[in-house]
Amino acid sequence: MRHVLGAKQFTRPEVEALFETSRTFEEKVKGGQVLDRLRGRIMATVFFEPSTRTRLSFEAAMLRLGGQVISTENAAQFSSAIKGETLEDSIRVIGAYADVIVLRHHEEGAAARAAAVSSVPVINAGDGPGEHPTQALLDLYAIYREKGRVDGLRVAMVGDLAYGRTVHSLAYLLSLFRDIHIDFVSPPETPVPDRVLAYLAERGISWSRETDLARVAAQADVLYQTRIQKERFPSMEMYERAYGRYVLDPSLLGRMRADAVILHPLPRAGEIDPAVDADPRAAYFRQAAGGLYVRMALLCQCLEDAGQAYPEGSEA
Ligand code: CP
């Protein structure tokens, strides 16, 4: 059994194997094949925070693989958490009903707490300002698909780098590759955490903190824009100081390389002008679409490791 708790747990060969499986699933689904590698298996999605992409793509992934889904959305209000049940007690019980648990929670470290008591694999679907490893995997899959490689790329990460958990997980995954440079561009209110920078330094990854987005964007192979996470700020004044500082609009787009790629984990909240959407470099909706296949591959891997998946090639 293997939990998915953070991006640092992955090796490069594991990531590459996962993407090979993701590509295979993408071809099969787009080719109209009906799959049943996870027939008879049940996934529980337990979401204490709102979600569109993560929850629905995990649920679609399970259904595409022939499995079934049980779900609690807005678990803080509509599960027994409202009556005072601890996360640990909820997870112990849900593990008796499901073969895998996908958990989103507002507290950093919640997925690890859940995994510590769970009888089935736990997948971290975002733990407060901590990590969002499956988003980072699909971000990296988008980079592979759009650029054909990861080694040697210059990646700009822009926006809320403090509370933006996808940034932390993606930085960790990028550290598996060679000749990467990361430019971090954020308002002073939301700097990238020192723990992320220390990890990159340990792994010999080159990075810089920048303030001039126009200069950074002109050099970037990949521009990873993020939302200012209003819900995590200690005060509205602080949020308002950070909001709107770095916006990708057509004038900035005009300064970018012709072969650059623009990504965003979504949802966006004003930091990419919709006028950018029609540009072929705007890959964020293709990125979100690819999440389905990465999550299919991840569910198969987790349940295979737990002895719960049918072997490859046994599809209906
Ligand atoms: N990127 C992401 O996690 O989106 P949702 O919050 O909609 O799941």
Side-chain angles (χ1 to χ4, degrees):
M1 185 182 71
R2 187 168 181 224
H3 306 289
V4 177
L5 302 180
K8 285 189 266 187
Q9 76 185 66
F10 290 96
T11 64
R12 180 169 175 162
E14 283 170 339
V15 168
E16 288 174 342
L18 193 77
F19 289 172
E20 200 49 51
T21 310
S22 307
R23 246 191 302 272
T24 305
F25 282 139
E26 184 165 356
E27 279 167 21
K28 288 183 176 180
V29 170
K30 287 181 174 169
Q33 283 195 44
V34 176
L35 309 174
D36 68 351
R37 292 270 299 277
L38 299 184
R39 175 167 33 98
R41 304 295 170 246
I42 294 176
M43 175 184 74
T45 50
V46 181
F47 275 54
F48 286 79
E49 285 190 328
S51 168
T52 297
R53 279 146 291 275
T54 310
R55 190 170 66 85
L56 294 181
S57 64
F58 261 115
E59 293 184 359
M62 192 63 178
L63 296 172
R64 289 276 184 204
L65 289 162
Q68 291 168 292
V69 175
I70 54 176
S71 184
T72 173
E73 185 192 5
N74 195 357
Q77 293 294 316
F78 296 137
S79 76
S80 283
I82 194 85
K83 302 176 214 163
E85 186 168 62
T86 64
L87 176 66
E88 283 81 357
D89 281 359
S90 296
I91 292 295
R92 283 187 184 100
V93 171
I94 296 165
Y97 306 150
D99 301 296
V100 58
I101 298 171
V102 179
L103 174 71
R104 172 170 289 188
H105 200 278
H106 44 274
E107 286 173 18
E108 188 166 350
R113 278 172 49 208
V117 297
S118 182
S119 57
V120 301
V122 171
I123 299 179
N124 180 5
D127 60 334
E131 280 213 53
H132 193 348
T134 71
Q135 175 68 44
L137 286 166
L138 78 88
D139 296 340
L140 199 64
Y141 185 63
I143 295 173
Y144 259 120
R145 300 287 275 151
E146 300 287 332
K147 298 294 297 176
R149 67 190 164 96
V150 179
D151 290 323
L153 295 180
R154 189 167 188 127
V155 179
M157 295 188 163
V158 184
D160 185 343
L161 309 183
Y163 302 120
R165 55 198 175 196
T166 71
V167 165
H168 311 157
S169 296
L170 182 56
Y172 295 147
L173 282 188
L174 285 170
S175 77
L176 297 173
F177 294 84
R178 286 188 300 276
D179 302 324
I180 297 288
H181 180 87
I182 308 178
D183 289 306
F184 294 106
V185 184
S186 73
E189 292 79 12
T190 58
V192 64
D194 289 341
R195 68 178 187 277
V196 175
L197 298 179
Y199 186 80
L200 295 178
E202 260 171 46
R203 312 257 324 170
I205 297 296
S206 150
W207 57 265
S208 52
R209 274 188 165 132
E210 303 288 344
T211 53
D212 183 351
L213 178 56
R215 195 174 63 76
V216 167
Q219 296 178 327
D221 297 300
V222 176
L223 193 151
Y224 188 85
Q225 178 67 292
T226 64
R227 174 177 70 91
I228 303 295
Q229 307 231 330
K230 186 176 184 177
E231 67 276 24
R232 304 202 194 281
F233 276 74
S235 75
M236 270 307 103
E237 293 73 31
M238 192 176 160
Y239 164 73
E240 281 160 11
R241 280 201 302 277
Y243 182 77
R245 193 79 63 89
Y246 293 112
V247 174
L248 178 53
D249 60 14
S251 76
L252 192 62
L253 187 65
R255 303 179 68 130
M256 292 181 67
R257 295 166 57 114
D259 62 350
V261 173
I262 301 161
L263 300 179
H264 191 307
L266 302 176
R268 64 178 154 179
E271 62 282 347
I272 297 183
D273 186 330
V276 171
D277 297 356
D279 190 282
R281 291 169 288 184
Y284 27 92
F285 292 115
R286 297 192 291 275
Q287 171 191 1
L292 172 65
Y293 312 112
V294 173
R295 287 175 171 136
M296 286 174 76
L298 205 56
L299 284 172
C300 267
Q301 187 66 58
C302 270
L303 287 167
E304 245 169 44
D305 291 351
Q308 296 285 336
Y310 289 96
E312 197 177 346
S314 66
E315 287 97 348

